[in-house]
Structure formats: C-alpha cells, structure tokens
Amino acid sequence: MNNDQFWDQFLNIINSKLNSISFNTWFKDAKLVKFTDNTLTIDVGSKYKKDYISKFYDDLLEETISSITGREYNIEVVTPDEIKEEVIIEEEPILPRYKDANSNLNPSYTFENFVVGDSNRLAQAVALGVAEQPGKLYNPLFIYGKSGLGKTHLMHAIGNFVTANSDKTVLYVTSEKFIDDFIGITKKDEENYDVVQHFKEKYRNIDVLIIDDIQFLGGANKTQDEFFNTFNFLHGLNKQIIISSDRSPDDLKVLEERLRTRFTWGLTVNIMPPDYELRLKILKNKMAGHEVSRLIKPEVLEYIANNCESDVRHLEGAVNRLYAYTAIYSPKEINLEFAQEALKDYIGTSLYITNNITKIQKAVAEYFDITVENLKSKKRTANINNARQIAMYICKMTTEETIERIGLEFNRNHATVIHSCDKIEQEYKTNETLRQQIKEIKDKIAN
Ligand code: ADP
Ligand code: MG
C-alpha cells in the first residue's frame, strides 16, 4: 500500500464515521504531509480547523490509523504555514501488520457502540449469537429494515467480532460489489481462466460472507445464478452467510424464487425505527465524551429526539450539525434556542409543528403537576393517563397537526390518539370540571 492508497483509505474511514457536513467541513480538503515510522502529519488548511480538529477529533484520528495499521502513531495536525519546505513526502511508508486487508470491514462499527432498544433488540442479540457461533446457529441470517436503521452497522459488527475472536476469514461486500466482481469475470474472455479463478478464490475461500443490500442484486439474472452457486457452495460447507435488505424475503420480488426460499432457511430478523427512548439513548451515546455533552441542556436532547424520528442516520446528522455550530459560535451553553437555530434547515418545517405540541405538553404537564416525560411515557396511572388524553385532545383541537404526528410526540400509535380524543370529546359535553380545566390550560398556552 502506498501513501495515496493509505490516505484514501484513511479518509474513507473517517468519512464513514462522520456525517457529510462534518466530513466536508473538517476533512475533505485535508492533505497528507508526512508519514514516518511514528508520526502522521496532516495539513488541514487553517489555524481554526487545526485547533478544532486537535480538540475534538484527536481520538478519531488515532483510532483510524490504528485500525488500518494495527498500532499507534503520533498525529500532528498542521497548517500550510507550518509545513517546512524541506519536508519530503516518503513514497512507501512501512505499514506493519496491515490488518484485514481484504475483509472490507469498517472497524468503527462494533457491538460496543451499537445502542440497543426495543426496536432492534432481537436483531442485535441474533447478530451477536451468529458472531459468536458462525455457521452453527442461524444460516443464513437475513436482516431487513428501512434505510438508516443500523443494518450495515450490525453486519460490520459481526464481521469485526469474528475477526477479533477467531481466525476465521470474513468478507463483506455490497451486492453492487458482487455484481461488479462478477461482471469482471464475464468481460474477460481471453484470460478468462484467471479472472474466474480469482472470483472463486475470493468468494469461496472464506468462513463468513456478508452481503449488504441484496435488493440491488435484482435484474441481473446471471449474477443471481452465480450468487446462487456461491450461496450453495458456502452453505454446504456450513460457512456463515449474512444478508441484509430493505425488505423481507417475501417482498424481494426482483429475486428468483429459489434464492428467496434459501434466504428463509436460517433466521429472518427485522429492525424497526427507533422509538423515542432509543433515540434519546443513541443521542446520549453519540455525544458521550464530546465537549458538547457538557454544554447541552436536557431539553435539547428531547427536542432532537422528538424531531428526528425517522432513522438513526438523521439523528447523527443533527448531532454533527450541532458540533459544527458549537465549534463556530462557542456558546456557553447549548440551549433550545441555540439548537433550533443550528438545526433550522436540517429539521425543517417540523420545527414549528413540534413547538406547538411541545408547548401544549408543557402546559398540561405543569397544570397537572407531572413531567413531560410522564406524558410521553408508557405509564398508565389514572392521573397521568387523564392528563395525556387531555393533552392529545388539545393538540387535535388547537393545532393543524395530523393524528399521526400527535401520536409520534406522545409515543403512541394513531388509534390511541383517536380513542383518547373521542373519549375527552364525549366527556367534554357533560363534565363541567373538565371544561374548566381545558379552558385554564388553553389560557396558559396563550400566554
Ligand atoms: P442501514 O444499513 O440500515 O441503512 P446503517 O447501519 O448504515 O443503516 O446506520 C446508519 C447510521 O446510524 C450509522 O452511522 C450507524 O452507525 C448508526 N446507527 C444505526 N443504528 C444504531 C444504533 N442502534 N446504535 C448506534 N448507532 C447506530
Ligand atoms: Mg446499509
């Protein structure tokens, strides 16, 4: 591996760990200056970036280099002014014990940093089981779920675990990569033999095959044939196969029946979107140890968890944006106002919407002397339940929100919201106390 290849890989790993805004802000234009036996020197372009990177990304740089080389290096972050003329870039750095050169595993995706909640608990447990007993437990393991929910993360975690705890060999590929490799075979007619041989060696000489995003294998019939052969070969030898997709085997209509059938031979698990609790937990986990976690007010975490409900990638994006903003404006504390400004474009229109619901939740909670957390929790004690129903009812009556949206803010499904609102609506007709309560809460909100 020469300097250029090393540097590409280095930046790729960093890129995979950061949201694109952060990566583009801090590392896109970074240059490799020097790479000696002990020290890696990087030019990051400006004094401001140098200070920021040294402060907040030191660990990331260190982890990245040791994941590539298997040992520690000193990292020197410099500005163009500091680079002395006489520095000569060495052509071929010596990279001792270059680890896992061909597994394609991303060392930053591990079980340790995979946060577990109700929506991914089964998938995580099954994945760990497979990592501990490759080929013995569930074969194949088929993981499916919408984009951004952690499928790729879990698959790399399995691969990293296997490599760290056994001498088994792992290969991670996306289905696009598999297609590319396969097309490589069919193209080269002349020296076909070598290419085919290489393909077979690559895909059959392994203990664990991980194929990500199998839905993209569709449409390429010959490739499906070859995948079918590879699958049978490995499966016959009890080699572990792990597959991910954005939909269940039944819904993978683009794939041949015989493949879909095989996918269900082992175990199929689904990852669901994270609920509010898990989103909050992931946020805390992502920020742990970072400067920002010292400055941040709890309501900011709630705000982000409330507004980025679709997937984990979105949550990470918000966190990284907050980091960048914090670095630029150096606030004394990160309060709601600051976060709303920072995330204005990112969170978009839901800002106004949530403000409404959030405001109502606050007012109701204060009125009944409970917390907003209580309102959103699963607790069903009479007073909390009653307050929650009233809050939902007020949201429905006084905002433009959809029932779904209200449900999300209360961690309830839409049937529950409808039921709650109907109930309060009925009572409202006959219960004078309730009418009075709702009036007082509305006054509170208006002020
Ligand atoms: P998918 O492959 O399902 O589209 P990814 O595995 O690429 O999703 O996940 C998107 C991002 O969210 C990744 O950076 C990943 O590390 C992170 N992520 C997803 N789920 C979790 C989790 N439970 N804990 C920590 N990070 C997560
Ligand atoms: Mg993925």
Side-chain angles (χ1 to χ4, degrees):
M1 187 160 59
N2 66 27
N3 265 337
D4 285 345
Q5 288 167 329
F6 161 77
W7 186 237
D8 277 347
Q9 188 179 11
F10 189 84
L11 286 182
N12 277 339
I13 294 180
I14 298 210
N15 194 3
S16 73
K17 293 191 187 181
L18 298 179
N19 142 288
S20 62
I21 296 168
S22 306
F23 180 78
N24 290 340
T25 308
W26 308 116
F27 293 107
K28 194 165 134 256
D29 301 319
K31 294 187 189 69
L32 174 64
V33 177
K34 199 168 51 155
F35 191 14
T36 66
D37 274 347
N38 297 311
T39 308
L40 173 71
T41 309
I42 303 172
D43 168 14
V44 294
S46 73
K47 168 93 170 56
Y48 162 64
K49 284 194 190 174
K50 174 189 161 172
D51 291 347
Y52 184 82
I53 291 171
S54 310
K55 191 159 172 202
F56 292 120
Y57 284 118
D58 221 5
D59 289 348
L60 174 63
L61 296 176
E62 274 171 28
E63 269 165 41
T64 305
I65 188 153
S66 73
S67 72
I68 299 173
T69 63
R71 71 177 186 82
E72 290 178 4
Y73 279 78
N74 299 321
I75 309 245
E76 222 184 340
V77 180
V78 299
T79 64
D81 295 343
E82 293 169 323
I83 303 169
K84 296 191 193 81
E85 291 286 315
E86 61 267 29
V87 169
I88 297 159
I89 298 183
E90 291 173 18
E91 253 318 308
E92 285 283 294
I94 306 150
L95 290 180
R97 283 183 286 135
Y98 177 58
K99 249 178 32 182
D100 314 327
N102 300 315
S103 69
N104 300 331
L105 288 172
N106 179 339
S108 61
Y109 290 148
T110 62
F111 283 113
E112 284 76 16
N113 61 18
F114 187 83
V115 186
V116 182
D118 289 345
S119 56
N120 60 22
R121 195 180 308 283
L122 179 64
Q124 189 269 354
V126 165
L128 187 62
V130 163
E132 287 173 353
Q133 307 291 338
K136 297 199 182 129
L137 213 48
Y138 314 110
N139 205 12
L141 170 61
F142 190 98
I143 305 174
Y144 74 95
K146 295 215 179 75
S147 165
L149 298 183
K151 301 181 297 295
T152 298
H153 187 138
L154 262 188
M155 294 175 113
H156 281 282
I158 297 175
N160 286 320
F161 187 99
V162 171
T163 351
N165 294 290
S166 72
D167 46 21
K168 290 193 182 337
T169 49
V170 178
L171 176 64
Y172 168 94
V173 285
T174 59
S175 61
E176 284 114 322
K177 175 72 184 138
F178 185 87
I179 295 173
D180 272 1
D181 285 350
F182 178 70
I183 290 174
I185 299 186
T186 52
K187 264 193 196 148
K188 296 238 172 168
D189 280 335
E190 301 285 298
E191 303 139 76
N192 212 3
Y193 178 77
D194 278 345
V195 190
V196 172
Q197 201 54 30
H198 177 75
F199 181 88
K200 296 222 156 120
E201 270 168 26
K202 174 167 177 182
Y203 283 94
R204 299 193 174 186
N205 235 337
I206 46 176
D207 301 304
V208 178
L209 176 63
I210 304 176
I211 301 243
D212 206 352
D213 287 325
I214 195 84
Q215 71 270 13
F216 296 127
L217 199 65
N221 282 336
K222 284 200 172 142
T223 324
Q224 288 195 34
D225 277 351
E226 187 51 43
F227 184 68
F228 183 74
N229 294 335
T230 309
F231 183 102
N232 288 341
F233 180 88
L234 293 173
H235 197 269
L237 295 173
N238 290 326
K239 305 295 188 186
Q240 180 71 48
I241 299 163
I242 303 156
I243 302 160
S244 83
S245 162
D246 65 351
R247 62 204 84 171
S248 74
D250 281 345
D251 291 330
L252 269 172
K253 300 280 188 269
V254 285
L255 295 192
E256 295 170 17
E257 178 63 32
R258 55 182 185 161
L259 272 177
R260 284 191 271 149
T261 311
R262 273 166 176 72
F263 291 165
T264 58
W265 278 358
L267 184 74
T268 299
V269 281
N270 185 3
I271 304 188
M272 302 288 286
D275 58 16
Y276 176 80
E277 256 166 83
L278 179 57
R279 297 201 295 272
L280 207 55
K281 204 165 151 192
I282 291 175
L283 280 174
K284 289 184 182 156
N285 193 281
K286 300 264 173 215
M287 291 182 180
H290 191 285
E291 172 77 1
V292 157
S293 62
R294 212 172 43 76
L295 304 173
I296 203 159
K297 297 261 153 211
E299 61 263 30
V300 173
L301 294 176
E302 286 176 21
Y303 168 74
I304 300 175
N306 263 320
N307 281 284
C308 302
E309 71 256 343
S310 53
D311 64 75
V312 183
R313 202 171 278 133
H314 194 200
L315 275 181
E316 286 186 335
V319 171
N320 288 324
R321 236 192 132 87
L322 206 56
Y323 285 1
Y325 241 70
T326 304
I328 292 165
Y329 294 105
S330 309
K332 291 212 174 55
E333 62 168 31
I334 300 173
N335 54 26
L336 202 51
E337 201 187 342
F338 180 83
Q340 286 176 339
E341 184 57 30
L343 301 173
K344 196 167 54 190
D345 303 326
Y346 192 73
I347 284 180
T349 51
S350 57
L351 181 81
Y352 167 72
I353 292 168
T354 322
N355 262 345
N356 272 340
I357 298 183
T358 310
K359 223 169 159 182
I360 293 168
Q361 286 176 331
K362 275 213 173 107
V364 173
E366 265 172 38
Y367 185 84
F368 288 104
D369 203 16
I370 58 176
T371 64
V372 172
E373 294 274 272
N374 283 155
L375 281 181
K376 297 177 172 189
S377 71
K378 302 212 167 86
K379 292 204 181 99
R380 294 194 43 88
T381 43
N383 65 329
I384 293 178
N385 207 26
N386 182 50
R388 185 182 299 127
Q389 291 179 337
I390 291 177
M392 289 179 180
Y393 171 77
I394 297 177
C395 288
K396 184 182 155 218
M397 301 307 282
T398 67
T399 73
E400 312 264 64
E401 304 308 347
T402 60
I403 296 293
E404 280 75 7
R405 180 81 209 181
I406 297 171
L408 273 172
E409 300 300 340
F410 286 86
N411 295 308
R412 293 298 190 284
N413 62 26
H414 100 292
T416 308
V417 180
I418 291 175
H419 170 79
S420 305
C421 293
D422 286 348
K423 182 167 165 276
I424 300 295
E425 218 164 300
Q426 286 307 317
E427 275 189 46
Y428 191 86
K429 291 179 190 153
T430 54
N431 184 337
E432 174 55 24
T433 322
L434 177 67
R435 278 203 290 267
Q436 188 56 31
Q437 286 176 332
I438 290 178
K439 181 178 177 306
E440 284 171 22
I441 295 168
K442 280 189 185 164
D443 288 346
K444 221 172 140 69
I445 295 166
N447 294 321

